[in-house]
Amino acid sequence: MRKIALMFLLVLFLVSWTGVYAAPDTAPEAKPVISLPKVTSGKTIETRGISRQPELSQVRWANHTEALTGSAMMRMVMDVSGPVEASGVVISGPTPRLSVTIKGTTPGKAIKDLTFDGKVIEKVSFAASGQDTKVIFDLPIMVEDTDYRVFTLPSDAKANKPFRVVVDVNKPVPLPDFSFTTGLKDKVIAIDPGHGGSDPGAIGPSQYMEKTATLAIAQRVRTLLEKAGAKVVMTRQDDRDVFGPNASAVEELKARSTAANSRKADVFLSIHMNAFTDRSVGGTSTYYYQKTQYDAMLAQALQTSLVEAGKLQDRRTNPANFYVIKRTRMPAALIEMAFISNPDEEKLLGSPDFQQKMSLGIVRGLERFFDQAAKLN
């Protein structure tokens, strides 16, 4: 009896052991299937907690000029580690830009902002924007929708080429052919009161600020021009930054030239006050950048009329590389009306009578310019 009991226990042990380790006759219970999200353009794939968002890894560019037409363009190629979608839009203000969005990507650590010569593109900056990458092309002047193209190219394993985003930007069109008539009627005049907002400009001995004087005179010039039948574009009409708060110097200056370019002004005039460490220095001067045959003519016409009106020392016209007169697409001049650092001239600049005299001098100078320019047609 005892022997039978021992045999029974041995059989029970073997059954238990095979139930755990012996291969069952039926198929094992299916393991749960991990379902991965479908791969779509520019999407982030999460696998076991690891983010695999496509990355912008390398940027290349090249300039190209057509031998027959002389037209020029810049092509920028951006390598991406996976398929994405990209699109672009032109932003007209406060300065001209092409904004390209590369969806579902992040800029790699090696990607840096780029600076160019300004013939086609001035600057390209890269930044993460939510789940996307924003690529901003700063342009010297406004372009049309037909002047740029954004497209993608698939990867090519045989040629060892990754997925690519390509941006083509054409060189801005040449300056227009000007054909001026006499008089101010129906002329579009862009007036730029220098400085403003966070930038006071030069400050005189009695704390009179350049931005205050330039705006006061610009408003008087506007009134006189509109009475003569001209259309006036003001880059600012009150005490503010034209681009906006915290703008760089270039952004602020470009916003002023953009205001004139976008309205296709006939001429551009920037009003300023001069300053010098020697407070005895004074006088009136006018600056130009000779991008058309009319820029020097405009500056001389204004200088002559301003000296006649204000009776200050004639400091002549001078060529200069100032941004606002270089980047505008029409004849342009920058006036240094008087020296705000000179106590006597500072007092004059704050005088309504002197402001009106100089405003009349500007208007007469513009009339003189259009009369002279019309003879060149």
Side-chain angles (χ1 to χ4, degrees):
M1 187 71 179
R2 183 178 181 183
K3 186 182 289 185
I4 294 171
L6 289 171
M7 291 178 66
F8 176 78
L9 290 172
L10 178 61
V11 170
L12 182 63
F13 172 78
L14 289 172
V15 169
S16 299
W17 185 84
T18 56
V20 176
Y21 294 102
D25 292 334
T26 59
E29 181 181 357
K31 294 182 179 180
V33 177
I34 300 175
S35 179
L36 296 178
K38 183 180 179 181
V39 178
T40 55
S41 212
K43 299 297 182 182
T44 300
I45 302 173
E46 296 288 344
T47 306
R48 298 181 181 178
I50 299 175
S51 175
R52 294 184 179 175
Q53 187 177 24
E55 183 178 85
L56 196 66
S57 59
Q58 186 177 357
V59 178
R60 304 180 300 282
W61 62 90
N63 292 305
H64 175 71
T65 301
E66 288 286 345
L68 294 177
T69 64
S71 61
M73 62 163 284
M74 173 180 280
R75 167 165 289 184
M76 180 166 287
V77 180
M78 293 169 277
D79 293 347
V80 188
S81 60
V84 295
E85 296 176 356
S87 60
V89 61
V90 172
I91 301 171
S92 60
T95 59
R97 292 176 169 184
L98 170 61
S99 175
V100 174
T101 300
I102 306 176
K103 296 181 180 179
T105 64
T106 181
K109 293 182 179 179
I111 301 299
K112 305 295 183 183
D113 292 351
L114 304 168
T115 302
F116 298 92
D117 60 12
K119 293 180 180 178
V120 181
I121 296 170
E122 293 182 335
K123 178 183 176 183
V124 179
S125 56
F126 305 84
S129 178
Q131 295 295 313
D132 306 328
T133 295
K134 288 283 189 184
V135 186
I136 304 298
F137 294 75
D138 285 302
L139 308 172
I141 62 173
M142 188 66 179
V143 298
E144 304 296 332
D145 290 340
T146 55
D147 291 329
Y148 75 91
R149 191 163 64 117
V150 179
F151 60 98
T152 60
L153 294 173
S155 59
D156 186 343
K158 292 182 178 179
N160 195 29
K161 292 182 178 180
F163 195 94
R164 287 145 290 162
V165 175
V166 182
V167 180
D168 289 342
V169 181
N170 294 330
K171 183 179 179 179
V173 297
L175 293 173
D177 292 327
F178 297 98
S179 180
F180 293 115
T181 58
T182 59
L184 294 171
K185 185 174 175 57
D186 296 327
K187 299 296 193 303
V188 180
I189 312 295
I191 302 296
D192 173 39
H195 308 282
S198 62
D199 177 14
I203 301 175
S206 298
Q207 303 305 302
Y208 189 49
M209 291 183 286
E210 182 180 2
K211 69 173 183 177
T212 304
T214 60
L215 181 60
I217 292 171
Q219 289 171 332
R220 289 177 180 272
V221 172
R222 177 183 185 176
T223 299
L224 293 169
L225 287 173
E226 288 178 341
K227 285 183 178 179
K231 300 174 183 177
V232 179
V233 176
M234 296 278 284
T235 61
R236 67 181 180 97
Q237 301 186 53
D238 50 23
D239 184 18
R240 68 174 64 188
D241 298 282
V242 177
F243 183 95
N246 304 315
S248 68
V250 171
E251 287 174 330
E252 179 68 13
L253 294 172
K254 192 191 296 185
R256 295 168 188 264
S257 58
T258 298
N261 291 335
S262 62
R263 293 287 298 274
K264 296 181 172 58
D266 292 301
V267 297
F268 173 88
L269 175 62
S270 189
I271 300 174
H272 288 259
M273 310 303 158
N274 220 329
F276 194 61
T277 52
D278 183 349
R279 292 186 176 183
S280 66
V281 174
T284 301
S285 56
T286 306
Y287 295 86
Y288 64 92
Y289 178 84
Q290 190 72 0
K291 59 185 183 289
T292 75
Q293 64 176 322
Y294 298 102
D295 294 86
M297 180 186 294
L298 173 63
Q300 187 57 61
L302 288 165
Q303 177 70 11
T304 299
S305 295
L306 283 168
V307 172
E308 290 174 353
K311 309 299 182 184
L312 299 181
Q313 180 183 346
D314 184 356
R315 303 189 71 86
R316 300 179 300 279
T317 61
N318 303 280
N321 199 32
F322 297 145
Y323 190 101
V324 291
I325 56 176
K326 182 178 180 179
R327 297 293 188 176
T328 40
R329 291 178 54 79
M330 67 289 302
L334 186 148
I335 294 170
E336 296 283 7
M337 192 163 291
F339 277 73
I340 200 169
S341 54
N342 181 307
D344 294 332
E345 294 189 6
E346 178 197 25
K347 186 176 180 180
L348 285 174
L349 288 170
S351 163
D353 289 342
F354 185 79
Q355 290 176 1
Q356 188 67 10
K357 285 181 181 179
M358 297 302 270
S359 299
L360 285 166
I362 289 174
V363 173
R364 289 169 184 157
L366 290 171
E367 286 180 314
R368 177 174 280 165
F369 164 72
F370 286 118
D371 288 345
Q372 293 172 351
K375 295 176 182 177
L376 298 182
N377 295 336

